[in-house]
């Protein structure tokens, strides 16, 4: 981003991993172990793991494997990920950005493919407060890139989808936001090639203001 972009909204929907929290090291450790157990190339699988629930990633990588096995594997993976928060840190600007949303009374929700335990562990490890409204793996029947999570987040906040702005880093998440009819701010280089409305390197370049009528003015850049 070299120019300033202004987006208006009524609510903000925030992904967690790669957007608020840098958990890449932990994700890579767990998924490379899984790849080794299943005879897959760890470097190749890292290209598709981000943004989805684990069972959905497994279905992409092993399309002929029974879903029951994917779900069982996913449960074990979640336990591994929840226990491994070494190196989990906030994305630059995330603490200040979240604090500004709370201080300004900005309607916002966490919409993550992690479950309650994992999202609580990673946000805690990064020193970030959990938003009051949270859509986790337990909240939905379909993983990103399905839009269900973002649509549920908008509904929980009482805001129309078209009045929401999504913050995402992954292809699956950006596709989900688009499918929900929302505008998307891409966070980090991973987001750049997947068609968000704007891209920011991190959360340090954002400014949020709320008008008297509740309209959110999001300045990017």
């Amino acid at each position: 981003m070299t120019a300033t972009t202004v987006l208006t909204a009524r609510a903000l929907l925030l992904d967690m991993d790669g957007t608020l929290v840098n958990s890449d090291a932990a994700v890579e450790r767990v998924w490379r172990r899984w790849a080794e157990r299943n005879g897959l190339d760890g470097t190749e699988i890292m290209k598709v793991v981000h943004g989805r629930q684990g069972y959905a990633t497994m279905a992409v990588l092993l399309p002929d494997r029974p879903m029951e096995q994917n779900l069982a594997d996913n449960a074990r993976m979640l336990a591994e990920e929840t226990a491994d928060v070494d190196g989990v840190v906030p994305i630059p600007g995330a603490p200040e950005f979240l604090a500004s949303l709370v201080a300004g009374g900005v309607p916002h929700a966490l919409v993550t493919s992690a479950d309650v335990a994992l999202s609580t562990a990673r946000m805690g490890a990064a020193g970030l407060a959990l938003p009051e409204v949270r859509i986790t793996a337990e909240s939905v029947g379909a993983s990103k890139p399905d839009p269900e999570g973002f649509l549920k987040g908008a509904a929980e906040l009482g805001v129309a989808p078209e009045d929401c702005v999504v913050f995402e880093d992954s292809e699956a998440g950006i596709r989900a936001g688009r499918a929900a009819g929302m505008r998307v701010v891409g966070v980090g280089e991973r987001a750049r090639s997947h068609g968000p409305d704007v891209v920011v390197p991190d959360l340090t370049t954002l400014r949020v203001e709320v008008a008297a009528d509740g309209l959110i003015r999001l300045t990017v850049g």
Side-chain angles (χ1 to χ4, degrees):
M1 289 293 300
T2 56
T4 297
T5 300
V6 177
L7 301 174
T8 57
R10 295 286 177 181
L12 306 181
L13 303 178
L14 314 172
D15 174 51
M16 182 182 71
D17 293 303
T19 301
L20 298 175
V21 170
N22 182 347
S23 57
D24 281 1
V27 170
E28 184 153 342
R29 284 193 295 271
V30 170
W31 277 99
R32 282 187 179 274
R33 288 197 296 269
W34 181 86
E36 186 174 352
R37 289 196 298 268
N38 288 277
L40 298 174
D41 185 324
T43 299
E44 287 302 308
I45 75 159
M46 291 312 300
K47 297 175 182 178
V48 299
V49 301
H50 296 288
R52 296 179 177 86
Q53 290 189 44
Y55 75 86
T57 294
M58 294 170 195
V60 171
L61 295 167
L62 298 171
D64 297 326
R65 194 165 80 154
M67 184 55 72
E68 292 77 9
Q69 191 173 346
N70 292 340
L71 291 170
D73 244 6
N74 186 52
R76 288 189 290 270
M77 293 278 285
L78 284 170
E80 286 185 54
E81 290 184 294
T82 301
D84 183 359
V85 294
D86 186 34
V88 173
V89 295
I91 293 292
E96 297 81 2
F97 180 61
L98 285 173
S100 75
L101 300 186
V102 174
V106 177
H108 65 286
L110 186 71
V111 182
T112 176
S113 294
D115 64 3
V116 169
L118 181 56
S119 58
T120 301
R122 284 188 175 161
M123 290 288 281
L128 300 175
L130 284 161
E132 288 187 13
V133 178
R134 299 184 289 277
I135 305 299
T136 62
E138 295 93 340
S139 309
V140 300
S143 172
K144 299 173 185 175
D146 191 282
E148 181 184 1
F150 286 126
L151 292 173
K152 282 197 169 182
E156 285 282 335
L157 295 171
V159 176
E162 62 268 22
D163 290 328
C164 295
V165 169
V166 164
F167 287 73
E168 265 287 0
D169 72 301
S170 69
E171 178 184 10
I174 292 168
R175 285 172 56 196
R178 289 287 196 199
M182 301 172 182
R183 289 152 296 150
V184 181
V185 174
V187 181
E189 282 304 307
R190 189 156 54 223
R192 189 172 297 279
S193 62
H194 302 304
D197 292 274
V198 294
V199 180
V200 293
D202 51 41
L203 300 176
T204 60
T205 60
L206 302 169
R207 189 169 71 255
V208 181
E209 301 166 303
V210 184
D213 65 354
L215 186 68
I216 302 163
R217 180 182 172 91
L218 179 67
T219 304
V220 182

